[in-house]
Every structure is written in structure tokens, then in C-alpha cells.
Amino acid sequence: MKSSIGTFQQYYFVYYPACRFAAARTGCALAAKHYNTRRRRHGAGMAEDGEENQFRNARLQKLAALKALGIDPYPYEWRRSAEAKELEARYAALPADAVTEDRVSVAGRIRAIRNSGMFIDLHDNSGKIQIFSDRKSLDEAQQALLPLLDLGDIIGVDGIVRRTRRGELTVNAKRIAVLAKALLPLPEKYHGLADLETRYRQRYLDLIMNEQSRAVLRNRSRIIATLRRLLIERGFLEVETPMLHVIPGGATAKPFVTHHNALDMELYLRIAPELHLKRLLVGGLSDKLFEINRNFRNEGISPRHNPEFTSLELYEAYVDYRAMMALTETLIAEIAREVLGATRIRYGEHEIELAGPWPHESMAGLVKRETGADFLTILADEDARAAARRLQVEVADSAGWGRALEAVFAARVEAKLIQPIHVTGFPREISPLAKADRNDPRLTERFETYINGWEVANAFSEINDPLDQQQRFEAQMAERARGDEEAQRLDADYVAALEYGMPPAGGLGIGIDRMVMLLTDSPSIRDVIAFPTMRPKG
RNA sequence: GAGCCCGUAGCUCAGCCGGUAGAGCACUUGACUUUUAAUCAAGGGGUCGCGGGUUCGAGCCCCGCCGGGCUCACCA
């Protein structure tokens, strides 16, 4: 997210309660066993292998039998002429029991074998195609190969298209080639792979077994591709800025620290790209630019937080934050339309309408409506803290007016913002990179977009007054000195860049993982990240 | 970091009041030439997450540890 400068709300989510994947039942024992077996295999001699894994042993014997037949079980290529879905479309009108003279070549993974190999369900990227092996039409070598096939093997099949009496589109095999012999068995075909831990640790198995997992990650790719296209169409230039930072800036978060040997210095994995992107704006590389890339934050892991996550940040010169509002609405609604075919989506129990325009309301206004407390009429920090505490919201004694307001908002309002809304009027205290509100110096021209109770976007009119920015940094440094480790650090070179003149600009950050969760109805961020961060097995 | 829950065959899951390990699929062998989670018959397969303890006896009770899930806390 445009790195939610200095706010806390993201961490005060009311967590979405329903877990739609296999309840909360888990079990790592079998995966552990699998790993242990592998580890032992490395340590121990081959003699032990056969007794350890009956499945693998049986397949190793078949592998040897294939080689004895002169068959390479791991050849270099297979020329395909069609995919399953393509054939389904091409032969949609082919009646049951009809045979064509069309020769096709397909390839994929064996997911089912019936009648001792007579029928094989072959799955490729696009779908399923049935393979029929008639003894009479296969030569001796091919007949010898049939019993050596296992579930999970990747094979190529060359044959004639027909539709069976039962109506299943089928390739009558003339030639079958093993393209990759599988040595380990797949999870059970009917119930599939349900164990969450195994699904995350061995994502390849999850992807083989669960159509839903494939759909989510494919949609993630389409969402990002669409986002990129929409931005480029609007004249934005895609750039890359460093992952390794000397000063971790642009957000308020704990960084990962690493060490560069040749330079003999500490470096930080970036917590946000913001300050570098605005340096490019100063340089005039483009008046519109963006980056879609990873951020790293050394913080807790939860269904909504992964230590590395993907964000979009974009900057547009000569506009203010209102332009960012319109852009946010357009991008998210367009992506939904393009990828899902609709702007009305379902997430868990909620129906959410993404078509704009979305309402915008101030943080203080929402708090007032929800709790009756009118923070805009409160002037002293002390009174603001007292007001928060009267509402049973905990605030630190060091919290000022802005933090108190934000704490009440996070505790009492956030979770209720299910339909898209831009929350404006963010306190200056928690927004050290946002320009002051034109009318109220306590506030900034900043908004965060909430959907489903989550902060999905964060944007503001960027500070381009170097003296103002310097003072904001100094205020942060003062908080840091008072013990707030999260306060932002002074980046003198960034201020220097501003001293050369940055055009007025609007900036926007969107958390890609959360947007994908929303658009794919995924209950956990781990479902939208192919390889989520996991503690290694003991 | 804390609370709650979970970990049994390759996978999905049973396992009662503590009495010595089960099913389906998968695997092996056989039957079967138009199946669709194919079917039928027989067989093999277990470090019950790991380590202690209680007990005549522990998958089950107790303690510790490992891993996972959820929630809370911390962290923008």
C-alpha cells in the first residue's frame, strides 16, 4: 500500500471469521514423514529405500522395466497438436459413438486409469481428455508399456478423435509415449489434498490436485496483467526501484536487515518504494510512473499479512489526491469487470459492489457517526485521549490528537466498511509524507480506500515542499527518540531531491495481495501467494 | 508473544470408559474390451508428530517440545 504512512489501522482488522478451506483441521505429520523419508534416503543407502516407500519402489521397478523396453521415460520433447479444451470445442457437434479420421497429438498428466489401462483421463493445462487404448490397435511394444503407466505420469498420446457411446470425447491411442515417469503417488483423487500445511509447503501438489488453487493463482496473474495494461494505456511508465535500501523509508514498519560483504555495510530490504519513485518524479523520468513489486516487513504473520507482499505504487504529476480516488475506482472496477466479468462480487458472506463512484467520508465524520464523539471539536491531545478511552479504546499516553482519532476509527469503524469507501481527513500526525489539508492544518489530503473492512488503497497529495518535508521527518525523528521504533527515519537525500523541485503530485498505493483475495474470495493471504512464508519443518 | 484447536497408512478420515490399529481411495496380484470416483476378488502397507511420565496396559490421561490453523497482542 502506499505504505500507510504512520497509521495503525491495518492491524486492527476484525478478522474475517469463516475459513472455507477444510475447516481448521490440519496435519503435518504425513508431510513430515515424507520429508523424513527423503532425508533418510540421502543419509542411508539405497538398500533401505525399497522398504521405506512401497509406492516409490514399485514405480522405480516400472521405470527400470520401461528402460528395459528401450523407452526413455524422460524424453526431450513431445509435439502437441491440440489441448483438451480446444478439442472439446472443435468436436462439440460430434455425436456419440461417432469416429473421425482426425489424428491429434495431446499431452498431460494421467489422473485416472480405468479398465486396466483401457481408459485414461489425461489432464492438461486446459482440461481433461479421455484416452482409449484398444489392444488391437496397439503394437506389442505399446501394449507392454500400458501396464507400466501410473497415476501422475506425464504422457503424450497420438491418436484418432472419436466420441464414445457414453458421449465422452476420446482419443483412440495409436501411440503413447512416457514423457515423465512419476515416482511418488498423488494424493487421493476424490477428496484431494485438504491439509493446509501440505498445500502451502508443497504448492505443486496443491496445484495438481485443486482446481480452485489453480484458478486463484491464474486469476492473480490476470489481475496483475490487467492492472499493468490499464496503467500503461493511461500513459504510466513502469519502473523498478531498489529492493536493497540504505535507509528503509516510505512507510512505518520494521525492516529485514541484511549485510553486503563487499561494501561491508548493513542494508535493509525495502518496506516501500515510495521515496525512490518520487525521486524519479523529481528527475522528470515521467510525469506518470508506477511500480508493481515486493515489499518486505519484519512483522507478524496472519491470514492477512505475509512478510513479503506485493504492492502497486503510482505517482502522477500535477494532480492531487482527488485524481487518485477516481483512478482507484476505475482500476479496481475495471479489473473486476475484465477478470471476473462483473463488478458485483462475493467475499465470504458479503456481496460487494465495486462499480464506482464510491462514497468518501472523513475519518472524524465516520467516528462521530459511529460513536457520537466529535473529534473535530476536541482540541487538546489530552482531551482526545480521554475521549478515546471513554469509548473503551486503548491509547498510549504519548498519543496525540491524531493517533487517538485513528485508534478510535480502527477499533470502532474499520470493520464495518464493507462496501467500497474512501476515508479522507487523515491526521497529520500519522501522515508524514502527505500534504496538509487545505482547510484544516490538523489533517492531510490523504485517503484510504476500505473494502470488506480492509485497507485496500492509500493515497495522498504528496508533499513537495522540502522545508515542510524536513519538518515532518524531524517530528518523526522526535517520536523515534521517544522510543517509537516505527517512526520514520530522516532521508536527507530525499529532502535534497525535493529541494530541486518536485511537481505537485498525487500518489497511490494498492495492496495487490489483498485485492486478489477480495476478487478471488480467498480467506487467507496464503491462498493468493504461491509460496507463502512458512517456518521450516523441525 | 498469549489463548483455543489440530497432528493416526501415500491421501481423505474413523478409532467409544485406557485393553494392544481400522475404512475408503491409492498400491500389489488376478478377473474384466466401452469405462466415467469403473467394477469384482485376494494381498501388502503404521515411529498413532517427537520426547518423557502415570498405569499391569497409552493413539486415548499428564508434562515438555516440534509443526500447522484460528483468535488476540505486537507491528504502518
Side-chain angles (χ1 to χ4, degrees), chain A residues 265-390:
Chain A
M265 67 181 293
E266 301 285 275
L267 286 172
Y268 302 89
L269 299 191
R270 77 178 192 191
I271 56 177
E274 173 152 359
L275 301 184
H276 285 89
L277 289 169
K278 285 191 281 191
R279 283 176 171 97
L280 294 178
L281 210 55
V282 168
L285 181 66
S286 172
D287 287 339
K288 297 177 174 183
L289 45 82
F290 74 101
E291 177 166 10
I292 296 172
N293 225 325
R294 223 67 64 82
N295 291 329
F296 305 86
R297 299 190 185 177
N298 203 343
E299 294 167 356
I301 294 178
S302 84
R304 234 156 327 290
H305 300 83
N306 196 63
E308 52 178 307
F309 62 96
T310 301
S311 71
L312 159 74
E313 279 203 22
L314 69 82
Y315 294 87
E316 178 171 357
Y318 309 114
V319 302
D320 66 14
Y321 77 142
R322 289 172 300 191
M324 298 297 101
M325 266 184 212
L327 187 55
T328 302
E329 293 169 11
T330 305
L331 290 176
I332 292 179
E334 266 305 305
I335 288 168
R337 241 189 300 274
E338 177 122 352
V339 176
L340 306 177
T343 56
R344 189 164 190 82
I345 63 166
R346 198 177 62 80
Y347 186 91
E349 306 307 308
H350 298 301
E351 290 247 332
I352 298 172
E353 177 53 64
L354 296 175
W358 302 341
H360 44 96
E361 288 192 57
S362 76
M363 181 182 284
L366 287 163
V367 164
K368 183 180 177 187
R369 195 195 320 150
E370 188 62 36
T371 70
D374 186 358
F375 274 76
L376 290 181
T377 64
I378 299 173
L379 298 178
D381 291 343
E382 192 181 333
D383 296 339
R385 285 193 294 271
R389 286 166 183 159
R390 271 198 299 279

Side-chain angles (χ1 to χ4, degrees), chain A residues 2 35-37 51 85 100 114 120 127 223 225 237 247 268 272 274 302 318 322 325 336 342 401 417 421 488 493 508:
Chain A
K2 174 148 179 249
Y35 288 163
N36 288 337
T37 300
E51 289 164 87
K85 194 175 175 185
T100 73
R114 293 179 291 278
I120 290 173
I223 287 165
L237 182 78
I247 300 168
Y268 302 89
E274 173 152 359
S302 84
Y318 309 114
R322 289 172 300 191
M325 266 184 212
W401 178 87
L417 305 178
I421 182 173
Q488 296 195 30
D493 177 72
L508 167 66

Side-chain angles (χ1 to χ4, degrees), chain A residues 421-439:
Chain A
I421 182 173
H422 303 298
V423 178
T424 61
F426 271 68
R428 177 192 182 98
E429 186 182 349
I430 57 170
S431 310
L433 299 167
K435 258 188 175 163
D437 185 282
R438 280 161 237 213
N439 305 310

